[in-house]
Amino acid sequence: MDLFEDRTTCSNFSKLVSIDKLISNDYDLTVDLYVKPQNMQEIIDIQGISIKIEKITTRLKELSTEVSSKIAKMDRNSKDAISVGWRPLSELLERSKGVDISKDEMIANPENSNVVKVISNNNASFYLREPVSSLVSVNYAPAIIVKAQGRIGFEYCEEPFVHNKDIWSYNASNNKTVNIKYVYYFLKKEEKFFQNLGDKSVIPRISIETTNKFLIPIPYPDDLEMSLKYQQNIVDILDLFTELSSQLSAEILERQKQYEFYQNLLLTFPVK
């Protein structure tokens, strides 16, 4: 309103024009004839994108080499000769119950790092400020989180967290005979099995008994050192594939930006 009253010209917003200019345009008051609209298109740093892609490509080559090397060392041809013992999940890991957490206790956007993550079935990101109430049990050890209702699945978490009563978790704090991330990867592989079980209910859901009794394969059960080494090798390989997948996704995102830049550059022509 001030610009109108003061008859002020403001770049990309307003302009004071003469009567002669209006006459030359046949008294056409279309704003675009006098005020050049601001270019709202995102400015793409093509040089920065190229550098990112180069780094990603280099890392992808390194990961591919590491994966090939580790797989070769495992000698998968001897798979049939591996002795395996099957044990219920409840015998390998300790289960933690969820707790009631009121909405008043949770915050959505933490201002500092002194917080504990709250994990729930709906994947919403909430946190509790530390120190946490003594009524809430915080998990500090690496754990497997069981999303038991709705979209059934498993998550691996290494940061401190709490969870509500709708889900539960497993940790290996009192068991040094199993690699918890190895167990996680096996459960993740069998995720579809649990989802099919849950689909038999009106609201997809699995029980604590289902996960407690689920059998986990333990390679070389009579040789702890060899067993843990074999489990760790599997974890290392799958960790590499996880990062590989993440890097590929990052490259696709940067390539899309690169494509949009050259699309605009090559197909933008002077307007008559």
Side-chain angles (χ1 to χ4, degrees), residues 166-271:
D166 293 333
I167 59 181
W168 55 91
S169 61
Y170 292 92
N171 66 74
S173 56
N174 296 320
N175 192 333
K176 306 302 180 184
T177 65
V178 68
N179 185 318
I180 186 171
K181 203 167 188 183
Y182 162 79
V183 177
Y184 160 74
Y185 276 129
F186 185 76
L187 290 172
K188 196 70 177 174
K189 182 181 81 72
E190 299 295 328
E191 212 166 50
K192 191 64 180 177
F193 166 79
F194 290 98
Q195 289 169 357
N196 288 338
L197 284 180
D199 286 342
K200 296 177 182 179
S201 306
V202 176
I203 299 176
R205 184 176 182 83
I206 57 174
S207 67
I208 294 174
E209 184 180 20
T210 299
T211 56
N212 274 349
K213 291 184 176 181
F214 190 73
L215 297 177
I216 305 295
I218 304 299
Y220 304 108
D222 299 324
D223 189 327
L224 179 59
E225 183 178 355
M226 184 177 291
S227 178
L228 290 175
K229 182 178 180 180
Y230 195 84
Q231 292 175 48
Q232 187 60 54
N233 283 338
I234 290 175
V235 169
D236 289 344
I237 290 172
L238 296 181
D239 277 351
L240 286 171
F241 273 115
T242 300
E243 185 182 351
L244 193 62
S245 176
S246 176
Q247 292 289 340
L248 285 169
S249 297
E251 182 180 20
I252 290 172
L253 180 63
E254 297 304 322
R255 290 291 186 189
Q256 182 63 33
K257 293 179 183 178
Q258 192 180 45
Y259 168 81
E260 291 172 3
F261 174 85
Y262 284 107
Q263 180 188 51
N264 291 326
L265 179 68
L266 299 173
L267 294 176
T268 300
F269 302 97
V271 179

Side-chain angles (χ1 to χ4, degrees), residues 85-142:
W86 296 81
R87 294 181 60 187
L89 180 58
S90 60
E91 291 184 9
L92 297 172
L93 304 176
E94 181 180 340
R95 184 177 65 83
S96 297
K97 299 178 182 179
V99 295
D100 283 325
I101 305 171
S102 70
K103 291 183 178 180
D104 294 337
E105 295 178 276
M106 296 188 289
I107 55 176
N109 300 305
E111 297 176 355
N112 54 57
S113 58
N114 296 323
V115 293
V116 174
K117 187 176 183 180
V118 178
I119 297 178
S120 61
N121 264 317
N122 60 15
N123 293 321
S125 295
F126 289 100
Y127 301 85
L128 295 178
R129 291 190 181 89
E130 289 195 295
V132 177
S133 166
S134 59
L135 299 177
V136 178
S137 177
V138 179
N139 293 270
Y140 289 100

